[in-house]
C-alpha cells in the first residue's frame, strides 16, 4: 500500500482515460547496492585524512620547520587534500541519500506507460510508453522484491561506442507481478498496433 500522499501524486499524473494497474514504492532496505561504494570510499577517505594530517605536519609545534616551508608546502599541500576529503565524504553519504530518495519515490504501471515519480524537494517525473519498451531484465530476491530493467533504446556516443538506455524500477515488492502485467499490456498494445497497421 502506498502512503496517501504518494498515491495522490501518482494519480494526478494520469492522463485522461489512463488506468492505473500497479503501483509501488521501492523498499529502502533493498537498495543496499550503494553501500558497496564504501569498499572504495572508506580507504579513499582514510588516505585523504592521513594525507591532510601529514600536510599539516610543518605547523605542529616542535617540528622546527623553516618558515619558508610552513608558508609554501604547509599551505599548498593541505589545500590540495581538501577536494579529496570532500569526495570521500560525498561517497560515504551517497548510499544514505539514495535510501532517503527511495522513501519519496513511487512507480506506477498504467495501460499506456510505466512511470517513476520522485516527490522530493524537486518533483521529478519520468515515463516510458509501452510501445517504446525493448527487452526486459528482472532480478528477484527470495522474498519477491526485485529490480526490473527495460531497454528503451540504443545510441552511438561521441567515441563511436553503442550505449543502451534503460528504464529501471528498483527494489519494489512482487516484481514478478509487475513483469507479468507489463508483458500483458505490451502484448495488448502490439495487437492494437498490428490491427491498425
Amino acid at each position: 500500500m502506498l502512503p496517501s500522499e504518494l498515491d495522490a501524486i501518482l494519480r494526478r499524473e494520469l492522463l485522461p482515460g489512463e488506468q492505473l494497474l500497479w503501483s509501488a514504492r521501492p523498499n529502502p532496505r533493498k537498495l543496499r547496492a550503494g553501500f558497496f561504494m564504501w569498499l572504495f570510499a572508506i580507504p579513499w577517505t582514510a588516505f585523504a585524512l592521513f594525507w591532510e594530517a601529514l600536510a599539516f605536519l610543518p605547523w605542529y609545534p616542535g617540528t622546527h620547520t623553516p618558515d619558508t616551508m610552513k608558508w609554501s608546502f604547509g599551505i599548498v599541500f593541505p589545500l590540495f587534500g581538501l577536494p579529496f576529503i570532500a569526495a570521500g565524504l560525498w561517497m560515504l553519504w551517497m548510499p544514505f541519500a539514495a535510501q532517503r530518495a527511495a522513501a519519496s519515490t513511487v512507480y506506477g504501471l498504467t495501460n499506456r506507460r510505466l512511470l517513476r515519480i520522485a516527490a522530493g524537494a524537486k518533483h521529478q517525473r519520468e515515463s516510458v510508453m509501452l510501445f517504446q519498451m525493448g527487452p526486459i531484465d528482472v532480478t528477484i530476491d527470495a522474498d519477491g522484491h526485485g529490480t526490473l530493467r527495460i531497454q528503451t533504446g540504443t545510441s552511438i556516443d561521441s567515441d563511436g561506442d553503442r550505449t543502451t538506455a534503460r528504464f529501471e524500477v528498483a527494489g519494489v515488492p512482487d516484481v514478478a507481478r509487475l513483469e507479468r502485467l507489463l508483458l500483458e499490456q505490451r502484448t495488448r498494445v502490439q495487437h492494437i498496433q498490428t490491427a491498425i497497421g
Side-chain angles (χ1 to χ4, degrees):
M1 295 293 293
L2 290 178
S4 57
E5 63 274 11
L6 286 180
D7 185 64
I9 288 170
L10 177 59
R11 291 182 184 279
R12 279 199 300 269
E13 298 295 336
L14 299 182
L15 301 171
E18 194 170 18
Q19 300 170 354
L20 184 62
L21 306 173
W22 173 92
S23 62
R25 67 176 177 165
N27 183 341
R29 292 191 303 269
K30 294 295 178 178
L31 302 177
R32 294 178 184 158
F35 285 96
F36 287 112
M37 183 185 292
W38 281 5
L39 297 175
F40 180 73
I42 290 173
W44 171 286
T45 308
F47 180 77
L49 291 171
F50 176 71
W51 166 276
E52 197 71 7
L54 289 180
F56 275 110
L57 205 57
W59 295 98
Y60 293 143
T63 56
H64 306 295
T65 305
D67 285 345
T68 54
M69 294 268 303
K70 282 184 183 176
W71 293 103
S72 57
F73 295 112
I75 292 176
V76 173
F77 282 6
L79 289 176
F80 179 78
L82 289 177
F84 293 94
I85 292 174
L89 294 175
W90 178 81
M91 287 187 288
L92 290 172
W93 167 247
M94 282 310 295
F96 294 107
Q99 287 194 334
R100 186 176 176 184
S104 62
T105 298
V106 61
Y107 298 103
L109 173 65
T110 74
N111 57 337
R112 297 182 186 175
R113 59 189 171 143
L114 184 61
L115 298 104
R116 175 176 51 238
I117 301 169
K122 290 184 179 180
H123 190 81
Q124 297 178 331
R125 176 185 64 243
E126 185 179 2
S127 66
V128 59
M129 303 302 287
L130 293 172
F131 64 83
Q132 295 175 314
M133 296 180 183
I136 298 173
D137 173 38
V138 180
T139 305
I140 306 174
D141 294 341
D143 63 359
H145 283 77
T147 298
L148 183 141
R149 295 176 193 86
I150 304 163
Q151 184 176 322
T152 58
T154 58
S155 60
I156 305 296
D157 66 12
S158 59
D159 296 332
D161 299 324
R162 183 176 297 277
T163 60
T164 302
R166 288 185 172 84
F167 188 95
E168 184 174 281
V169 179
V172 294
D174 200 5
V175 72
R177 178 171 177 261
L178 170 61
E179 180 188 23
R180 185 174 64 253
L181 288 170
L182 187 56
L183 292 173
E184 288 172 0
Q185 292 304 308
R186 193 166 69 172
T187 301
R188 180 189 61 79
V189 168
Q190 288 170 348
H191 286 322
I192 292 171
Q193 288 179 333
T194 303
I196 293 173

